[in-house]
Amino acid sequence: MSTPPEQQQHVRGEAAQQVEAASALTALPTSIAESKELTGLTHECGVFGAIACGDWPTQMDIAHVICLGLVALQHRGQESAGIATSEGKSSTNFNVHKGMGMISTLFNDDSMKKLRGNLGIGHTRYSTAGGSGVVNCQPFVVHTAHGAMALAHNGELVNNESLRREVLARGVGLSTHSDSELIAQSLCCAPEDVSELDGPNWPARIRHFMMLAPLSYSLVIMLKDKIYAVRDTYGNRPLCIGKIVPINAGHGNSSETPADGWVVSSESCGFLSIGARYVREVEPGEIVELTRSGYRTVDIVERPDFKRMAFCIFEYVYFARGDSIFEGQMVYSVRMQCGRQLWREAPVEADIVSSVPESGTAASHGYARESGLEFAEVLCRNRYVGRTFIQPSTRLRQLGVAKKFGALSENVDGKRLVLIDDSIVRGNTIGPIIKLLRDAGAREVHIRIASPPLQYPCYMGINIPTREELIANKLNADQLARHVGADSLAYLSVAGLVQAVQLKQQSADVGDGDGKGKGKAMGHCTACLTGEYPGGLPDELSW
């Protein structure tokens, strides 16, 4: 079946919604088994929102800001994307453009002109084949009794089935399997214990949803003239706030610089490219309201006292871009620290240290510095070939590796080398790389992985395969080394990864004895490594 054409929408009233719902019905699975396949694997996404300050209409090109913000988040999803904007005047009129494909192919001059507005949200998505299709593209727009609402979502609802039953019990129909539609419809109904005589109480509605759905999500929700940024109580998925500063603003303290606008994003990596400065993270359970006047916390939903924060540790390992900031530290620095810790746990006699670019580069520099070994590049990457983390078949993954790298034989010939990568999933990609290096003259190839073995699937927003597909459940490190043709292979331990991630926090906790050095409490989800899920296993699909 051919890929559906991209959607170009100018949403006006209930008629457009009915058309969207009708087209959605054609994409529904035909059996319960098929629907289980659709929800059995999760996806990783990126969300972005922007709002202009001061007088409206703004001179700032909000749609362009959002588009550039999504480009910076493209590593989080390459399958589909979308932008919704509002001029802040009409509660029934949002401008929406979304479709299948990369951001650079979806948004051109014509589509950007139709996205003029003073505020907007965007989304970039990666999903499994079963969840592909225009119908699942975000932002998801619904029309409530109080006007239009647009929503973009990163994560996966662990209890989506119980929430689905709760929404259906209200008499609300659902046209897709999208968590985003489920969240949007949940927000459309006011809680029974909330009075709305003076209009909708959106913070109360969001709080009610958060009490029903403990994780996993980061949300950006756009109404006529405001945006809500929401993070689940465990802080499982990332979300941060940035301040758009005047073009002539220097690098100094931006807190004293007047704001031209505010942005919210899954990662901070794109802030500098749009003239924004990182401000802070949205805290776990926090509901932040962004308006033309600024941003403020309108509510904080607490998690149970006996539950720890559970920020996804795999964001540090693989998904996030190296220049993003999480928990007050740059991802690149954490990955370098993982490399340092990896040398302490798994040293080896070698001539050079190198990496699988660019996923293992930061860790390899840390390994080289801690060991005193020379770092040298040994693989030349073809930058026009996409990632091989999740592809449809083993054959295509292996072909992807063949197309992806060349060997720098002058750096390799006759050398004992340590090759660092961030993770091993199915184990299909590392073997062809080792063969490539041996063909280029490498005397020894020792593999070091800057994360623990992946042994469990993720139900909270990252596309990690089933247990049967994960190579660490079939072969231990020594067996895997023989299987892929390495002289040795070792993983970073779970304790070592946690130590590397929390090193800065541990240093802050030491402080100077007066308590001023203490940082915020940290906690990380290691479910894909340990099988310990912070919210339990997901509901079984039963309809």
Side-chain angles (χ1 to χ4, degrees):
M1 187 174 68
S2 61
T3 302
E6 66 185 38
Q7 285 188 331
Q8 174 73 52
Q9 298 180 340
H10 194 67
V11 183
R12 295 184 184 276
E14 297 297 332
Q17 185 189 17
Q18 291 167 2
V19 170
E20 184 175 9
S23 64
L25 292 173
T26 64
L28 285 174
T30 56
S31 68
I32 297 224
E34 186 178 339
S35 65
K36 282 188 177 182
E37 287 180 6
L38 187 144
T39 56
L41 297 180
T42 59
H43 54 266
E44 178 73 8
C45 304
V47 299
F48 194 90
I51 187 167
C53 293
D55 296 332
W56 290 352
T58 179
Q59 298 301 308
M60 186 186 304
D61 191 340
I62 285 291
H64 196 202
V65 168
I66 298 170
C67 188
L68 289 176
L70 292 179
V71 168
L73 297 176
Q74 186 79 85
H75 59 284
R76 298 183 72 86
Q78 300 93 47
E79 182 186 86
S80 66
I83 293 175
T85 62
S86 170
E87 296 178 18
K89 298 181 295 186
S90 171
S91 61
T92 60
N93 181 3
F94 286 171
N95 305 310
V96 183
H97 183 75
K98 56 184 178 177
M100 307 298 293
M102 302 283 280
I103 294 159
S104 59
T105 60
L106 274 175
F107 297 101
N108 53 34
D109 289 342
D110 290 338
S111 60
M112 296 301 284
K113 288 176 183 176
K114 296 174 183 177
L115 287 170
R116 294 192 184 278
N118 296 305
L119 65 157
I121 63 174
H123 185 268
T124 184
R125 182 172 188 264
Y126 182 88
S127 81
T128 64
S132 301
V134 173
V135 68
N136 289 315
C137 296
Q138 300 182 42
F140 200 92
V141 179
V142 296
H143 292 266
T144 75
H146 307 284
M149 175 181 69
L151 179 142
H153 165 228
N154 169 217
E156 188 88 358
L157 296 181
V158 172
N159 66 330
N160 68 333
E161 178 54 20
S162 62
L163 185 61
R164 185 178 296 274
R165 288 194 297 267
E166 196 269 345
V167 170
L168 291 173
R170 298 181 184 179
V172 176
L174 297 171
S175 59
T176 75
H177 286 277
S178 165
D179 279 353
S180 303
E181 182 194 22
L182 186 58
I183 296 169
Q185 295 291 4
S186 178
L187 294 174
C188 285
C189 299
E192 294 180 358
D193 58 345
V194 175
S195 174
E196 295 191 337
L197 297 177
D198 298 324
N201 186 337
W202 291 108
R205 293 186 183 203
I206 296 169
R207 165 179 269 275
H208 178 69
F209 160 75
M210 295 174 72
M211 299 297 289
L212 294 174
L215 50 74
S216 161
Y217 49 85
S218 286
L219 308 174
V220 286
I221 304 166
M222 181 177 73
L223 304 170
K224 178 183 76 172
D225 57 358
K226 64 185 65 175
I227 294 172
Y228 288 103
V230 183
R231 195 172 174 204
D232 71 56
T233 57
Y234 289 81
N236 185 251
R237 300 260 64 85
L239 197 62
C240 62
I241 301 167
K243 177 181 182 179
I244 301 177
V245 298
I247 294 176
N248 58 0
H251 176 66
N253 187 1
S254 63
S255 62
E256 300 176 0
T257 305
D260 284 350
W262 297 92
V263 291
V264 60
S265 176
S266 294
E267 296 183 39
S268 61
C269 54
F271 284 177
L272 290 178
S273 66
I274 58 171
R277 303 290 185 267
Y278 174 84
V279 176
R280 67 171 178 87
E281 293 184 304
V282 176
E283 298 295 334
E286 186 179 16
I287 305 172
V288 176
E289 181 185 80
L290 295 93
T291 67
R292 69 169 79 180
S293 302
Y295 76 90
R296 66 187 182 103
T297 300
V298 294
D299 203 352
I300 296 179
V301 180
E302 301 289 345
R303 62 183 174 274
D305 291 338
F306 59 91
K307 294 289 188 179
R308 288 174 55 84
M309 181 180 169
F311 178 58
C312 174
I313 207 163
F314 210 64
E315 291 280 357
Y316 284 111
V317 171
Y318 182 87
F319 270 106
R321 219 171 79 173
D323 53 339
S324 289
I325 297 172
F326 295 145
E327 302 175 308
Q329 55 192 345
M330 190 161 283
V331 170
Y332 186 93
S333 299
V334 173
R335 290 175 180 166
M336 185 178 289
Q337 187 59 35
C338 287
R340 291 182 180 274
Q341 182 65 25
L342 185 57
W343 161 256
R344 300 181 194 119
E345 294 184 4
V348 64
E349 291 187 8
D351 301 310
I352 59 173
V353 177
S354 194
S355 67
V356 177
E358 279 88 17
S359 55
T361 301
S364 65
H365 281 293
Y367 194 97
R369 293 185 187 185
E370 191 71 12
S371 65
L373 295 170
E374 176 189 359
F375 173 86
E377 294 184 7
V378 299
L379 293 171
C380 183
R381 184 186 182 98
N382 179 354
R383 301 180 187 277
Y384 299 96
V385 178
R387 278 183 162 186
T388 57
F389 183 63
I390 303 296
Q391 286 186 358
S393 70
T394 298
R395 179 177 176 274
L396 285 180
R397 276 188 295 273
Q398 291 173 335
L399 285 174
V401 173
K403 293 184 298 183
K404 206 171 184 180
F405 297 111
L408 299 173
S409 56
E410 289 187 357
N411 290 351
V412 173
D413 192 19
K415 299 291 181 62
R416 301 171 300 169
L417 67 93
V418 183
L419 189 70
I420 312 288
D421 203 1
D422 58 1
S423 58
I424 292 182
V425 185
R426 293 183 175 94
N428 292 315
T429 61
I430 196 68
I433 290 175
I434 294 170
K435 183 180 185 303
L436 186 70
L437 293 171
R438 290 201 187 278
D439 290 346
R443 183 151 58 97
E444 295 178 11
V445 181
H446 301 273
I447 301 299
R448 294 294 181 267
I449 304 301
S451 65
L454 281 166
Q455 295 181 289
Y456 300 89
C458 176
Y459 302 106
M460 290 166 285
I462 289 181
N463 195 349
I464 294 176
T466 60
R467 290 201 67 186
E468 292 73 19
E469 295 178 273
L470 295 168
I471 193 68
N473 290 321
K474 301 176 182 178
L475 304 173
N476 62 31
D478 291 337
Q479 292 169 333
L480 183 55
R482 290 192 295 271
H483 177 69
V484 299
D487 291 279
S488 70
L489 187 148
Y491 296 94
L492 182 63
S493 67
V494 174
L497 174 61
V498 172
Q499 181 178 336
V501 168
Q502 297 185 355
L503 180 65
K504 185 173 181 179
Q505 171 70 15
Q506 293 162 356
S507 299
D509 285 345
V510 173
D512 57 5
D514 61 2
K516 293 182 179 179
K518 288 191 175 293
K520 297 182 296 185
M522 296 173 72
H524 297 93
C525 176
T526 59
C528 58
L529 311 173
T530 63
E532 298 173 3
Y533 296 92
L537 292 173
D539 295 348
E540 289 293 327
L541 194 64
S542 62
W543 70 286

